[in-house]
């Protein structure tokens, strides 16, 4: 549940009274941080078990034991536990690669016999792949051990079990079970070296994450606050995309989410204290010919200010310079911090103001959850084919840059956006306009019919759609971790451009040809010539056919026929046996693969040469 609180702040006689809401900082581990586990449950007699979600760097390695294996002597696996008996010089160790972790914990269960005093089990750790070791535990009795080992994170973190102090006696032993190293590793989905929490393009397709799908509000709430009154509303739970639109507002506001102040005071009043929001000119409101913000009022359709927060917590700010004007980017002098969305529970948002005299702010907040347009379980911002049509998003986006398997080539800056689509690398913006071929407000990357011609993109791209649902291949569809369809027989090659006009067919609206003049019957004498013709619009290929043996058969040019692939079919020297043959023509728009147009049927009539005489008058019927 998302709880929104709009609260006024007052400034009187130069003194500020601020009401800040502080709460638990809820960092969304689910998508932004991953838990990596290295585990051994000793369920089999093997030193090579990997029971976690990540493999250990080595097997268990014994030293000093007469057997050096898991089946016998002083260190072994018995009763599905690691058994250590009468230790003196013997030890056992195992290595984990924790190089990408930000924190780690070691835990296990233990059960000992007769240990105590100077004879105990020592727990040791090293960050150097071996000696020297640091002792982090001295154990006897029974219980569970848990220790933060963050200080020892490395590519070669070694845990080691050995005696502590004096040698063990003949009745001393210990059992260990459920050895686990649990580490937190920042997620970098696209492997570009920029963690998802700081990455504005989590799949490196050249599309900013918050633009990966059309915003569809799951909750909409209006707010209107004046004179210091507070307004509390509730909306959708979890992470997603949020818009805060201000229709009118005094000259500043502050924003606190889940107890975290996002950017101190968003300030638009020259001379007032705060974090100034500036247009690309470097001016704020009330400067450079732009009116004061408080003097203007917009509408919900055309707000004066807009705050956008995406699912990764990135914040953007926009402002209009006149009522109903275009929203232009605003940059804060001190960049906002990442918004700490809570993915599974209540999000508390507080909007306040420093004010003098009458105050007001009114507008609307809209919230949309994470977007998975094709329902394949991969959010669009991680999905290289967000609509499962077999065309990479990197192609449908419209930037025209080179890519490999849907990922742009070349360098990526600190903002996680490929430099190929940026004028200002590391600026968190792009230098092109997303393709919306039919201008319907739905970007091509999530539009199954991008040109709105009734022919789905997957077919116009030249790929297979087994069940005419607009998706690549048959149902059910299978995709890989990048959202790419793996159950189709084709797809993901360069889309078709059948008319070679440098515009992919899926972007170029087409339609079946329209016949304006149907073919009419041809009357031809034996040894003569004639033709059948058709007139049509929107046709660029023709195929004449004749009905032979109960089938319509394509005609090819030969001694009798020419123009079989044109608007006019020429027929030369037909024989009397062809009298009554039926003909038709199939017309196609090569950029529109979904339908053809077939003409009406015309007949070939064979008429022989004839001379008719009536008394002194002779009528000669000439050829043709």
């Amino acid at each position: 549940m998302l709880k929104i609180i709009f609260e006024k702040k007052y400034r009187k006689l130069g003194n500020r009274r601020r009401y800040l809401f502080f709460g638990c900082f809820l960092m969304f581990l689910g998508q932004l941080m991953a838990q990596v586990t290295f585990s051994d449950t000793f369920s089999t007699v093997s030193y090579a078990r990997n029971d976690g979600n990540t493999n250990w760097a080595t097997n268990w390695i014994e030293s000093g034991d007469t057997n050096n294996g898991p089946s016998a002597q002083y260190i072994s696996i018995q009763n599905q536990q690691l058994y250590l008996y009468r230790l003196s010089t013997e030890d056992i160790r195992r290595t984990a690669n924790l190089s990408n972790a930000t924190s780690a914990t070691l835990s296990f269960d233990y059960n000992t016999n007769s240990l105590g005093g100077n004879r105990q089990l020592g727990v040791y750790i090293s960050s150097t792949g071996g000696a020297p070791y640091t002792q982090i535990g001295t154990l006897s009795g029974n219980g569970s051990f848990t220790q933060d080992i963050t200080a020892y994170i490395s590519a070669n973190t070694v845990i080691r079990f050995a005696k502590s102090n004096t040698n063990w006696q003949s009745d001393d032993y210990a059992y260990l079970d459920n050895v686990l190293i649990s580490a937190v590793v920042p997620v970098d989905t696209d492997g570009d070296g920029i963690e998802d929490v700081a990455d504005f393009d989590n799949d490196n397709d050249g599309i900013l994450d918050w633009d990966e799908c059309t915003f569809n509000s799951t909750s909409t709430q209006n707010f209107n606050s004046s004179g210091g009154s507070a307004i509390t509303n509730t909306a959708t739970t979890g992470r997603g995309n949020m818009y805060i639109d201000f229709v009118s507002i005094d000259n500043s506001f502050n924003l606190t989410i889940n107890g975290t102040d996002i950017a101190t005071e968003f300030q638009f009043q020259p001379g007032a204290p705060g974090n100034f929001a500036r247009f690309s000119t470097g001016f704020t409101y009330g400067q450079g010919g732009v009116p004061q913000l408080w003097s203007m009022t917009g509408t919900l359709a055309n707000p004066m200010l807009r705050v956008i927060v995406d699912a990764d917590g990135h914040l953007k700010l926009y402002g209009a310079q006149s009522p109903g004007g275009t929203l232009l980017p605003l940059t804060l002098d001190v960049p906002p911090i990442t918004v700490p969305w809570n993915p599974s529970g209540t999000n508390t948002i507080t909007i306040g103001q420093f004010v003098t005299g009458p105050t007001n702010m009114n507008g609307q907040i809209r919230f949309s959850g994470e977007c998975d347009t094709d329902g394949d379980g991969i959010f669009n911002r991680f999905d290289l084919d967000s609509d499962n049509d077999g065309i990479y998003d990197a192609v449908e986006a419209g930037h025209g840059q080179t890519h490999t398997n849907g990922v742009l080539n070349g360098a990526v800056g600190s903002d996680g956006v490929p430099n190929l689509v940026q004028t200002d690398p590391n600026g968190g913006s792009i230098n092109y306009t997303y393709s919306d071929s039919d201008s319907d407000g739905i970007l091509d990357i999530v539009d199954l019919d991008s040109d709105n011609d009734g022919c789905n993109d997957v077919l116009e791209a030249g790929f297979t759609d087994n069940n005419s649902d607009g998706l690549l291949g048959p149902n059910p569809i299978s995709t890989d971790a990048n959202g790419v369809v793996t159950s189709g027989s084709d797809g993901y090659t360069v889309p078709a451009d059948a008319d070679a006009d440098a515009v992919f067919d899926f972007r170029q609206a087409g339609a079946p040809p329209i016949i304006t003049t149907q073919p009419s019957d041809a009357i031809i004498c034996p040894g003569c010539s004639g033709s059948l013709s058709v007139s049509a619009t929107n046709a660029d290929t023709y195929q004449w056919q004749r009905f032979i043996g109960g089938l319509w058969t394509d005609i090819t040019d030969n001694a009798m026929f020419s123009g079989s692939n044109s608007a006019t079919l020429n027929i030369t020297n037909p024989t009397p046996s062809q009298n009554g043959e039926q003909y038709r023509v199939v017309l196609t728009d090569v950029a529109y693969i979904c339908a053809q147009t077939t003409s009406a049927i015309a007949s070939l009539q064979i008429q022989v040469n004839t001379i008719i005489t009536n008394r002194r008058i002779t009528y000669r019927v000439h050829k043709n």
Side-chain angles (χ1 to χ4, degrees):
M1 181 175 294
L2 179 64
K3 186 163 79 171
I4 304 99
I5 301 174
F6 302 96
E7 178 147 58
K8 292 294 179 180
K9 308 273 197 311
Y10 292 89
R11 182 176 66 210
K12 295 184 178 180
L13 301 176
N15 295 320
R16 300 179 182 180
R17 198 175 80 191
R18 308 187 72 174
Y19 298 88
L20 299 177
F21 287 73
F22 297 97
C24 178
F25 184 85
L26 301 171
M27 181 55 71
F28 28 98
L29 292 179
Q31 289 281 339
L32 304 180
M33 309 290 282
Q35 189 157 21
V36 173
T37 57
F38 305 83
S39 176
D40 193 339
T41 60
F42 305 104
S43 299
T44 57
V45 181
S46 170
Y47 279 165
R49 290 189 62 85
N50 288 285
D51 297 310
N53 60 22
T54 305
N55 288 347
W56 295 82
T58 66
N59 297 336
W60 288 104
I61 300 172
E62 290 183 15
S63 294
D65 199 350
T66 55
N67 178 268
N68 286 331
S71 60
Q73 301 305 320
Y74 297 102
I75 301 177
S76 61
I77 294 176
Q78 297 183 17
N79 303 317
Q80 297 187 341
Q81 299 174 84
L82 180 63
Y83 177 67
L84 302 99
Y85 167 68
R86 199 176 184 179
L87 297 182
S88 56
T89 60
E90 301 83 6
D91 69 8
I92 189 168
R93 62 192 183 276
R94 199 168 191 183
T95 303
N97 183 351
L98 303 178
S99 57
N100 294 321
T102 57
S103 63
T105 302
L106 169 66
S107 63
F108 57 86
D109 300 321
Y110 64 93
N111 181 8
T112 72
N113 182 73
S114 190
L115 292 181
N118 290 329
R119 304 189 318 279
Q120 300 195 52
L121 174 65
V123 184
Y124 303 85
I125 195 164
S126 168
S127 61
T128 61
Y133 288 96
T134 301
Q135 186 167 355
I136 59 173
T138 303
L139 306 177
S140 59
N142 307 319
S144 295
F145 175 88
T146 301
Q147 177 71 42
D148 184 345
I149 59 171
T150 302
Y152 305 96
I153 285 175
S154 77
N156 296 287
T157 300
V158 183
I159 59 172
R160 173 175 172 261
F161 299 103
K163 72 173 187 181
S164 176
N165 295 322
T166 60
N167 293 343
W168 292 8
Q169 298 179 355
S170 60
D171 57 349
D172 294 335
Y173 62 82
Y175 283 102
L176 303 181
D177 201 3
N178 302 316
V179 173
L180 172 69
I181 295 178
S182 180
V184 174
V185 177
V187 174
D188 176 17
T189 300
D190 51 18
D192 61 1
I194 309 300
E195 298 170 12
D196 286 356
V197 67
D199 196 328
F200 286 83
D201 181 8
N202 277 318
D203 53 6
N204 277 351
D205 57 3
I207 309 164
L208 299 180
D209 289 342
W210 44 31
D211 296 328
E212 287 269 23
C213 64
T214 304
F215 185 92
N216 294 309
S217 298
T218 55
S219 64
T220 300
Q221 296 152 355
N222 296 334
F223 61 88
N224 190 346
S225 179
S226 62
S229 60
I231 298 172
T232 301
N233 293 315
T234 57
T236 304
T237 185
R239 299 168 54 204
N241 298 318
M242 181 178 69
Y243 283 55
I244 303 175
D245 289 336
F246 293 89
V247 172
S248 66
I249 185 174
D250 292 323
N251 286 314
S252 67
F253 72 92
N254 50 56
L255 178 63
T256 303
I257 298 181
N258 292 331
T260 300
D261 192 352
I262 304 305
T264 63
E265 190 77 7
F266 293 74
Q267 183 61 256
F268 311 94
Q269 172 82 36
N275 190 359
F276 273 91
R278 304 179 189 276
F279 293 103
S280 60
T281 59
F283 294 122
T284 187
Y285 287 93
Q287 296 177 332
V290 180
Q292 296 278 10
L293 180 58
W294 57 263
S295 68
M296 297 182 287
T297 300
T299 64
L300 288 177
N302 295 285
M304 295 307 306
L305 287 179
R306 170 170 288 170
V307 176
I308 303 178
V309 181
D310 74 357
D312 275 336
H314 302 136
L315 184 146
K316 279 189 175 181
L317 179 65
Y318 298 87
Q321 297 183 348
S322 62
T326 301
L327 288 169
L328 301 173
L330 286 161
T331 302
L332 291 168
D333 288 347
V334 179
I337 69 167
T338 301
V339 171
W341 284 129
N342 176 11
S344 58
T346 299
N347 287 281
T348 301
I349 298 178
T350 303
I351 299 180
Q353 290 179 301
F354 289 130
V355 298
T356 300
T359 64
N360 76 85
M361 58 179 179
N362 71 86
Q364 187 180 78
I365 185 168
R366 294 174 291 151
F367 189 89
S368 175
E370 286 268 46
C371 183
D372 177 16
T373 299
D374 50 20
D376 61 1
I378 310 296
F379 292 136
N380 285 16
R381 59 197 176 103
F382 303 111
D383 197 327
L384 295 176
D385 180 10
S386 295
D387 55 3
N388 280 353
D389 61 358
I391 309 171
Y392 285 121
D393 292 350
V395 175
E396 294 190 288
H399 50 62
Q401 301 296 337
T402 58
H403 69 93
T404 300
N405 298 327
V407 176
L408 265 62
N409 300 334
V412 173
S414 61
D415 58 0
V417 181
N419 291 347
L420 284 175
V421 294
Q422 292 192 294
T423 302
D424 175 23
N426 309 323
S429 61
I430 56 172
N431 60 6
Y432 72 99
T433 301
Y434 298 122
S435 180
D436 176 12
S437 297
D438 52 14
S439 301
D440 62 355
I442 302 174
L443 300 181
D444 290 356
I445 58 173
V446 290
D447 196 335
L448 292 177
D449 182 8
S450 294
D451 53 15
N452 200 29
D453 62 358
C455 187
N456 285 327
D457 294 350
V458 60
L459 295 177
E460 291 192 290
F463 307 145
T464 304
D465 177 5
N466 299 76
N467 49 1
S468 302
D469 59 0
L471 310 180
L472 181 67
N475 269 329
I477 281 179
S478 299
T479 61
D480 62 17
N482 296 316
V484 174
V485 177
T486 56
S487 50
S489 59
D490 51 24
Y492 303 111
T493 54
V494 178
D497 177 18
D499 54 6
D501 63 353
V503 179
F504 293 134
D505 294 345
F506 75 85
R507 286 200 178 113
Q508 193 169 38
I514 298 174
I515 295 176
T516 55
T517 303
Q518 295 282 359
S520 57
D521 293 346
I523 301 174
I524 307 175
C525 63
C528 304
S529 62
S531 63
L532 296 167
S533 295
V534 67
S535 296
T537 59
N538 204 38
D540 44 28
T541 66
Y542 301 80
Q543 178 61 64
W544 286 92
Q545 299 176 331
R546 62 175 174 163
F547 195 69
I548 301 176
L551 298 173
W552 286 103
T553 303
D554 288 348
I555 298 173
T556 58
D557 288 358
N558 53 34
M560 180 177 291
F561 298 108
S562 64
S564 58
N565 299 124
S566 68
T568 299
L569 176 68
N570 298 306
I571 305 174
T572 303
N573 296 328
T575 65
S577 64
Q578 291 179 262
N579 184 53
E581 271 189 353
Q582 294 180 321
Y583 292 79
R584 71 181 188 183
V585 62
V586 179
L587 301 91
T588 306
D589 174 2
V590 295
Y592 188 77
I593 197 173
C594 284
Q596 300 172 320
T597 299
T598 303
S599 72
I601 297 172
S603 296
L604 174 61
Q605 303 294 325
I606 303 299
Q607 181 172 304
V608 300
N609 296 332
T610 305
I611 298 177
I612 302 173
T613 301
N614 182 10
R615 295 182 180 180
R616 296 182 181 181
I617 304 172
T618 299
Y619 299 90
R620 181 177 297 276
V621 179
H622 296 283
K623 293 181 179 181
N624 299 325

